[in-house]
Amino acid sequence: MNPTSLWRGVLPAITTPFAADGTVDHAFLATHARTMIDAGCVGMVPLGSLGEAATLGFEEKLAIMRTLVQALGDRAPVIPGIASLSTDEAVRLAREAKTIGCRGLMVLPPYVYSTDWREMGAYASAVIGATDLPCMLYNNPPAYKTDFLPAQIAELAAAHPNLQAVKESSTDVRRITAIRHLLGDRLELLVGMDDAIVEGIAAGATGWIAGLVNAYPKESVKLFELARAGDSKAADKLYQWFLPLLRLDTVPRFVQLIKLVQEQVGLGNERVRAPRLPVEGDERAQALDVIRHAIATRPEL
């Protein structure tokens, strides 16, 4: 496999489905992953923010990796998110991922504790250096309070040849330009905020770690392909339909909202793991208005 092919295309940040008893629904997880690959997605990224990784135990995470590796086989790589409260546990998770058969890693900042570059850089370096698997650094300062600046990313890239990509979720598409200016083609750049995908591709991104793809896989792949091809008129038309949904990925209860969309279109259920609870009241009503309008006006591809 071309090493950069891991990072080029639409890679779902797959949600973690739960059964009525609160356990992970592995049967649906496998089916859902195959559905998205059938639609043209190029890999699977479990155990990220949207995957509710912070509420999953260590063994649950390993079981999810195994299910996806078995479900997808050689069709597409599984690239799990690696995040933990401690460096030691994150390193163990990274090493187990390779043993299970995952073909890459998405390296998140540690949960809860975030300070300065000396400590956050040491954490990222320890996880990336724990394996020879290709790695993608996940920069999401709104969620994790750690902001990997372009110069710091360059430092990690110089130290670790297996750091191949960055998922950029700072909400500032200028970061993609800045990283490319500093590092050229050394790293693949992927958009991590759904409502910045067209702008991110225009700035030079080659991949999309997508959220609403869990409910609209074909539309997500089509939008990505149109934007990459430079078909601005067709991309803009599809983007305008999609944007109200894509903006659900950028609010605090994005997990609940994306799962609600999945349930409404028949690609999952809205069960989440506490402390999250399903949305209700005005927030739910407003979200359902957006979802139902999207369903009623869904374009033909």
Side-chain angles (χ1 to χ4, degrees):
M1 175 180 287
N2 182 331
T4 63
S5 66
L6 279 176
W7 319 113
R8 296 192 172 188
V10 179
L11 296 99
I14 190 170
T15 51
T16 300
F18 296 110
D21 64 358
T23 60
V24 176
D25 185 344
H26 286 272
F28 181 81
L29 178 65
T31 298
H32 188 46
R34 287 191 289 262
T35 295
M36 289 190 284
I37 298 302
D38 290 343
C41 296
V42 299
M44 208 57 50
V45 182
L47 307 178
S49 310
L50 182 55
E52 299 176 72
T55 66
L56 295 166
F58 190 87
E59 293 300 326
E60 285 182 308
K61 291 179 180 180
L62 300 187
I64 286 170
M65 292 182 205
R66 293 188 189 101
T67 291
L68 290 172
V69 167
Q70 182 176 5
L72 299 182
D74 293 333
R75 293 187 64 198
V78 177
I79 305 166
I82 304 296
S84 178
L85 290 168
S86 73
T87 301
D88 286 349
E89 183 173 275
V91 165
R92 282 202 300 131
L93 195 60
R95 289 173 175 161
E96 290 288 345
K98 180 177 180 179
T99 300
I100 287 168
C102 297
R103 287 191 261 165
L105 305 174
M106 180 175 72
V107 180
L108 285 74
Y111 296 139
V112 182
Y113 185 70
S114 175
T115 59
D116 56 18
W117 164 239
R118 182 177 73 92
E119 291 187 320
M120 296 298 93
Y123 170 90
S125 191
V127 179
I128 296 167
T131 174
D132 59 358
L133 286 177
C135 290
M136 170 175 58
L137 183 69
Y138 183 11
N139 186 43
N140 188 338
Y144 296 105
K145 313 307 178 188
T146 294
D147 192 359
F148 292 107
L149 301 176
Q152 296 165 348
I153 293 171
E155 189 174 327
L156 286 172
H160 299 285
N162 63 320
L163 178 59
Q164 295 184 356
V166 176
K167 176 186 176 183
E168 175 51 50
S169 297
S170 68
T171 74
D172 184 354
V173 294
R174 294 173 298 178
R175 286 294 185 87
I176 291 174
T177 304
I179 296 168
R180 289 184 69 231
H181 178 75
L182 193 61
L183 288 168
D185 295 330
R186 167 64 181 84
L187 297 175
E188 298 287 321
L189 301 176
L190 296 91
V191 175
M193 303 295 284
D194 274 4
D195 66 344
I197 181 56
V198 172
E199 297 86 341
I201 289 174
T206 58
W208 181 13
I209 310 295
L212 267 299
V213 68
N214 284 278
Y216 285 100
K218 292 180 181 178
E219 290 79 2
S220 298
V221 171
K222 186 65 173 180
L223 178 59
F224 180 86
E225 290 175 345
L226 290 171
R228 285 285 288 163
D231 190 342
S232 58
K233 184 176 180 180
D236 184 65
K237 183 178 180 181
L238 183 54
Y239 203 25
Q240 291 305 314
W241 168 81
F242 216 170
L243 266 173
L245 290 170
L246 296 177
R247 289 180 180 132
L248 299 178
D249 183 55
T250 65
V251 296
R253 276 185 278 271
F254 72 106
V255 175
Q256 293 95 315
L257 291 170
I258 289 174
K259 282 190 163 182
L260 178 60
V261 183
Q262 286 183 254
E263 182 167 284
Q264 292 295 306
V265 301
L267 285 179
N269 67 67
E270 66 170 319
R271 297 186 193 104
V272 287
R273 181 167 282 184
R276 288 184 176 88
L277 299 172
V279 291
E280 59 182 21
D282 289 344
E283 184 179 20
R284 184 182 188 85
Q286 290 169 13
L288 287 173
D289 284 344
V290 169
I291 297 165
R292 287 165 181 162
H293 181 264
I295 292 171
T297 59
R298 186 175 185 173
E300 290 188 15
L301 300 182

